[in-house]
């Protein structure tokens, strides 16, 4: 128990340090850009240099860099993301609905592909050399190798522009005006817009879970505990169930890791489908050099990766009885 507690404290401290490093890199990168968000306003004549100086002072951009950094760290870790430079409203009002839209798209897709692909991978591993194993490996490898935005464009060409079955862009029709979360996310209009990006996400991540489950079952096929179950007279499916249950640990830890890294692929996917999520909000903020919005979006993405890596470490140390937490 003490060993696991020390392990948890150590891993939490490392996660906190990595978070600080990540947000510091974000701060430094934005300040190293050749121009600030107000340079174009002076060039276009929209504001005079004196007016720009007043705006910069209002946002604290005229203060020494170390003062900006300290305030930046304090605000991030208290979730005070400030005010958007371009939209003139709190960044939290921009990021929160965008983050929710991203999670609604990606988390169900990851859960579905984790369940279906893992079961398919276990069956493929148990039936080595079968047509099912070979075809499933080829199909999922193709989808994993092709960038998700390419698959998205391909499906758009077929089902939106070719057949006209599904809408091409957005999360709802332009004239839709939903009220409340139920009307927003549980409507037929939303489902039609949701189908294509959901399908692309499921296809893209299916190969990871299928191969991981397949390899885990293959490793356990000749194990002593399966030989014992076979001697007891268990059927093939019952033996597969035992082997699959013992393969869950790497799948659980990988699911945690993949959940944290979901945002890596969301940027291009949301741009292709014009999905109003955090990835698309990040792209727009970068184009507009909206420092507070960029900082908030990248901070959330970095924290998601770090936290879910911590969860994966803890899950592995807690669930695997053969691993000593003090040695992890």
């Amino acid at each position: 128990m003490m060993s696991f507690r020390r392990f948890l404290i150590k891993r939490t401290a490392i996660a906190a340090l990595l978070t600080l490093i990540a947000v510091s890199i974000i701060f430094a990168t934005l300040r190293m850009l050749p121009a600030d968000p107000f340079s174009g306003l002076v060039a276009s004549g929209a504001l005079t240099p004196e007016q720009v100086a007043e705006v910069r002072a209002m946002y604290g951009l005229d203060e020494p860099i170390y003062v900006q950094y300290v305030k930046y760290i304090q605000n991030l870790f208290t979730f005070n993301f400030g005010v958007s430079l371009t939209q003139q409203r709190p960044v939290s009002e921009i990021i929160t609905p965008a983050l929710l839209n991203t999670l609604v798209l990606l988390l169900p897709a990851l859960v579905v592909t984790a369940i279906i692909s893992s079961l398919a991978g276990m069956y493929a591993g148990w039936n080595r050399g079968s047509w099912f194993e070979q075809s499933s490996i080829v199909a999922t490898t193709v989808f994993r190798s092709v960038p998700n935005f390419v698959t998205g464009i391909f499906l758009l060409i077929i089902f939106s522009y070719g057949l006209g079955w599904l809408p091409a862009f957005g999360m709802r029709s332009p004239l839709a005006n939903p009220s409340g979360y139920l009307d927003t996310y549980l409507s037929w209009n939303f489902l039609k817009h949701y189908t294509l990006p959901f399908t692309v996400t499921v296809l893209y991540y299916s190969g990871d879970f299928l191969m991981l489950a397949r390899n885990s079952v293959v490793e356990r096929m000749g194990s002593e505990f399966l030989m014992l179950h076979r001697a007891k007279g268990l059927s093939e499916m019952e033996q597969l169930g035992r082997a699959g249950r013992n393969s869950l640990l790497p799948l659980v830890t990988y699911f945690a890791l993949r959940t944290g890294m979901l945002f890596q692929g969301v940027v291009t996917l949301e741009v292709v489908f014009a999905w109003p999520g955090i990835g698309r909000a990040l792209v727009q903020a970068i184009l507009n050099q909206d420092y507070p919005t960029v900082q908030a979006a990248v901070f959330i993405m970095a924290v998601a990766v770090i936290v879910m890596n911590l969860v994966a470490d803890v899950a592995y140390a807690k669930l695997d009885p053969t691993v000593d937490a003090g040695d992890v």
Side-chain angles (χ1 to χ4, degrees):
M1 186 66 180
M2 290 299 296
S3 177
F4 179 77
R5 186 176 301 173
R6 286 195 300 269
F7 161 80
L8 183 59
I9 294 173
K10 176 183 175 182
R11 282 293 189 270
T12 304
I14 293 174
L17 178 61
L18 290 174
T19 303
L20 179 61
I21 293 173
V23 298
S24 300
I25 293 174
I26 298 167
F27 177 87
T29 301
L30 290 175
R31 267 62 180 183
M32 290 170 61
L33 294 175
D36 61 40
F38 309 109
S39 301
L41 297 176
V42 177
S44 64
L47 293 178
T48 65
E50 292 75 16
Q51 291 173 323
V52 169
E54 292 178 5
V55 175
R56 286 176 57 85
M58 182 174 63
Y59 284 98
L61 297 176
D62 62 334
E63 297 177 331
I65 196 70
Y66 68 88
V67 176
Q68 294 185 44
Y69 177 74
V70 172
K71 290 184 177 180
Y72 162 77
I73 295 296
Q74 290 175 342
N75 290 337
L76 279 187
F77 284 94
T78 56
F79 297 99
N80 178 18
F81 298 127
V83 178
S84 168
L85 300 183
T86 55
Q87 301 188 37
Q88 297 299 309
R89 60 191 180 113
V91 173
S92 59
E93 294 182 4
I94 302 172
I95 293 297
T96 301
L99 177 61
L100 181 59
N101 292 338
T102 295
L103 294 177
V104 166
L105 170 62
L106 294 181
L107 281 183
L110 187 63
V111 171
V112 168
T113 193
I115 295 174
I116 295 177
S117 299
S118 297
L119 293 175
M122 292 176 186
Y123 183 80
W126 191 259
N127 296 275
R128 295 193 65 187
S130 64
W131 68 268
F132 179 82
E133 181 198 31
Q134 297 174 5
S135 59
S136 62
I137 291 176
V138 170
T140 56
T141 301
V142 169
F143 285 120
R144 191 65 177 91
S145 303
V146 176
N148 56 9
F149 68 88
V150 175
T151 305
I153 293 173
F154 183 72
L155 293 184
L156 280 174
I157 293 173
I158 295 176
F159 295 102
S160 295
Y161 300 117
L163 300 174
W165 290 353
L166 297 169
F169 302 111
M171 197 174 74
R172 64 180 68 90
S173 300
L175 298 179
N177 187 26
S179 58
Y181 291 120
L182 291 180
D183 194 20
T184 300
Y185 299 117
L186 295 178
S187 65
W188 177 246
N189 185 275
F190 171 79
L191 181 61
K192 290 192 297 183
H193 288 79
Y194 184 75
T195 301
L196 286 183
F198 175 85
T199 303
V200 172
T201 306
V202 169
L203 293 176
Y204 184 70
Y205 291 112
S206 60
D208 294 346
F209 289 98
L210 184 137
M211 291 302 299
L212 188 60
R214 172 201 173 271
N215 294 341
S216 297
V217 168
V218 169
E219 290 176 0
R220 288 161 175 79
M221 286 184 65
S223 60
E224 294 182 357
F225 82 93
L226 278 183
M227 294 174 63
L228 177 61
H229 288 312
R230 191 175 297 112
K232 289 181 178 179
L234 267 66
S235 66
E236 287 288 317
M237 293 305 298
E238 289 174 328
Q239 294 177 49
L240 174 57
R242 299 297 194 280
R245 187 172 60 187
N246 284 271
S247 303
L248 288 179
L249 178 60
L251 292 171
V252 169
T253 54
Y254 183 76
F255 180 85
L257 291 173
R258 180 50 62 188
T259 302
M261 294 186 289
L262 270 178
F263 297 112
Q264 291 180 350
V266 73
V267 176
T268 53
L269 187 66
E270 289 183 354
V271 169
V272 168
F273 290 101
W275 189 267
I278 194 170
R280 189 160 176 260
L282 174 60
V283 172
Q284 293 173 338
I286 291 174
L287 294 175
N288 296 327
Q289 291 187 297
D290 189 349
Y291 289 171
T293 305
V294 173
Q295 290 170 171
V298 179
F299 170 72
I300 291 173
M301 293 181 178
V303 168
V305 174
I306 293 169
V307 169
M308 294 313 298
N309 271 270
L310 175 62
V311 171
D313 284 344
V314 173
Y316 196 87
K318 196 69 175 176
L319 297 177
D320 192 347
T322 65
V323 174
D324 183 3
D327 297 331
V328 177

